[in-house]
């Protein structure tokens, strides 16, 4: 049997993608309500330029004349793409390259990348540090750069804005989340009207949690609640949580009672939260914590309880920079 090729994601430019999407939806539907024109642009953007996705989603919307239906389906496509009608035919071909990865280490390292926002430039050095903290590389005979090169050869990662970065295509990321959706929760707030929320109802199954809030202007001008407030209502009892990436620039402190129930936590990254001024004393109860990153924050001094964390191997704070 001949070797099969990895599937490279080839994308259309924005105008070309919208033209294809509109053609599949049909002008009758697009003109049935003035609001649908903008909603069609929003939905086409969620297809990330992938022709198969544009065709699949466009045909699925070809009979939807009610704007509220469009809004509902955009939310579904953004947060649970695998459940959108026909999207299994889009994600399954992308899964081929994932299934071809040589071993569980490569697969675990790849799946970890879905914690980053769509199209985000991931610093390679930071990604490798995460993998080490997760002990994915402990018994592997190659370094992190080898893992990244392998994932790029498999067309699962692509080059970022410079040699220091890599990126994951949006639909590849959707496929990755599909593979680990029972263990991963994601909340990304881009602005007052655009949230990505996945996996928050899993509760006891969550092992990795990723929180990003880009809505600084909304918080300052419109008093829109930061996503950390949303998390405080949802993330109070996660006994199996091992990784938490919390990038919320408006965060000043973690509320009381936030950490004690996260007894399994091994990695906490709250770096680049420029207003974060302190960590609560209760962080000393995270007995399994091995990696802590609070660099690029306003924290001047770590609580003395940090000394109780006997397993802590990496601690990056503002003093390191």
């Amino acid at each position: 049997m001949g070797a099969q090729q990895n599937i490279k994601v080839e994308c259309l430019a924005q105008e070309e993608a919208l033209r294809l999407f509109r053609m599949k939806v049909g002008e009758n539907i697009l003109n049935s309500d003035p609001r649908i024109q903008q909603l069609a642009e929003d939905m086409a953007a969620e297809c990330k330029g992938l022709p198969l996705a544009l065709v699949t989603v466009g045909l699925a919307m070809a009979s939807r004349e009610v704007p509220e239906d469009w809004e509902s389906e955009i939310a579904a496509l953004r947060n649970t793409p695998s459940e959108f009608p026909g999207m299994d035919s889009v994600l399954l071909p992308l899964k081929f390259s994932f299934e071809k990865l040589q071993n569980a280490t490569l697969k675990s390292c790849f799946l970890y990348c879905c914690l980053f926002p769509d199209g985000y430039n991931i610093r390679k050095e930071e990604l490798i540090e995460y993998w080490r903290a997760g002990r994915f590389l402990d018994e592997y005979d190659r370094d992190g750069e080898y893992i990244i090169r392998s994932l790029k050869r498999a067309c699962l990662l692509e080059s970022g804005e410079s040699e220091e970065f890599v990126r994951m295509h949006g639909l590849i990321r959707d496929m990755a989340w599909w593979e680990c959706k029972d263990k991963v929760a994601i909340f990304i707030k881009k602005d007052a009207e655009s949230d990505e929320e996945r996996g928050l109802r899993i509760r006891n199954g969550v092992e990795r949690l990723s929180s990003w809030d880009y809505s600084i202007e909304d918080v300052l001008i419109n008093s829109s609640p930061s996503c950390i407030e949303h998390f405080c209502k949802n993330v109070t009892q996660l006994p199996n949580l091992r990784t938490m990436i919390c990038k919320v620039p408006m965060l000043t402190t973690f509320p009381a009672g936030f950490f004690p129930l996260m007894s399994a936590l091994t990695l906490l990254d709250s770096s680049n939260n420029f207003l974060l001024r302190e960590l609560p004393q209760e962080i000393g109860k995270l007995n399994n914590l091995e990696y802590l990153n609070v660099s690029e924050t306003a924290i001047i001094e770590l609580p003395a309880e940090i000394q109780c964390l006997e397993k802590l191997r990496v601690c990056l704070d503002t003093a390191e920079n």
Side-chain angles (χ1 to χ4, degrees), residues 133-157:
R135 297 193 179 277
F136 298 143
L137 306 182
D138 282 2
E139 299 178 1
Y140 200 64
D141 62 350
R142 303 282 186 175
D143 61 15
E145 289 284 352
Y146 173 84
I147 300 282
I148 288 174
R149 289 194 298 271
S150 297
L151 294 177
K152 289 179 72 174
R153 281 196 297 270
C155 301
L156 294 173
L157 288 180

Side-chain angles (χ1 to χ4, degrees), residues 82-123:
S82 60
E83 297 177 10
F84 189 90
M87 280 299 285
D88 54 343
S89 65
V90 177
L91 296 176
L92 284 174
L94 299 178
K95 187 179 175 182
F96 173 73
S97 294
F98 170 73
E99 294 291 353
K100 279 188 62 182
L101 292 175
Q102 297 174 351
N103 52 52
T105 297
L106 283 169
K107 291 181 178 180
S108 295
C109 289
F110 163 70
L111 294 177
Y112 205 101
C113 297
C114 77
L115 294 174
F116 294 90
D118 187 8
Y120 183 78
N121 277 286
I122 308 170
R123 189 177 296 276

Side-chain angles (χ1 to χ4, degrees), residues 39-227:
L39 291 168
E41 290 188 26
D42 295 342
M43 180 162 272
E46 292 298 325
C47 295
K48 318 296 193 304
L50 191 67
L52 181 57
L54 290 160
V55 171
T56 300
V57 176
L59 290 174
M61 301 305 294
S63 61
R64 304 296 183 93
E65 298 178 344
V66 180
E68 287 75 16
D69 288 350
W70 280 76
E71 292 171 351
S72 176
E73 295 296 357
I74 288 172
L77 189 60
R78 180 177 294 141
N79 297 318
T80 53
S82 60
E83 297 177 10
F84 189 90
M87 280 299 285
D88 54 343
S89 65
V90 177
L91 296 176
L92 284 174
L94 299 178
K95 187 179 175 182
F96 173 73
S97 294
F98 170 73
E99 294 291 353
K100 279 188 62 182
L101 292 175
Q102 297 174 351
N103 52 52
T105 297
L106 283 169
K107 291 181 178 180
S108 295
C109 289
F110 163 70
L111 294 177
Y112 205 101
C113 297
C114 77
L115 294 174
F116 294 90
D118 187 8
Y120 183 78
N121 277 286
I122 308 170
R123 189 177 296 276
K124 291 193 286 187
E125 182 179 358
E126 180 181 31
L127 181 58
I128 293 170
E129 195 60 54
Y130 283 151
W131 289 342
R132 287 201 181 100
R135 297 193 179 277
F136 298 143
L137 306 182
D138 282 2
E139 299 178 1
Y140 200 64
D141 62 350
R142 303 282 186 175
D143 61 15
E145 289 284 352
Y146 173 84
I147 300 282
I148 288 174
R149 289 194 298 271
S150 297
L151 294 177
K152 289 179 72 174
R153 281 196 297 270
C155 301
L156 294 173
L157 288 180
E158 57 190 48
S159 298
E161 62 183 12
S162 71
E163 282 296 315
E164 298 178 16
F165 300 93
V166 290
R167 283 187 299 210
M168 178 180 280
H169 183 274
L171 284 172
I172 294 287
R173 177 175 175 265
D174 289 338
M175 181 271 290
W177 185 80
W178 188 21
E179 287 296 310
C180 57
K181 62 184 178 181
D182 294 333
K183 297 181 178 181
V184 172
I186 298 171
F187 185 83
I188 298 173
K189 186 175 180 64
K190 298 178 181 178
D191 52 52
E193 299 179 354
S194 180
D195 294 345
E196 177 187 4
E197 181 179 315
R198 306 185 185 191
L200 289 183
R201 297 176 181 83
I202 302 172
R203 299 292 184 183
N204 290 346
V206 173
E207 295 182 4
R208 297 175 196 151
L209 178 65
S210 178
S211 167
W212 302 68
D213 192 347
Y214 291 130
S215 60
I216 299 176
E217 186 173 339
D218 279 325
V219 174
L220 292 175
I221 298 176
N222 303 320
S223 299
S224 176
S226 170
C227 69

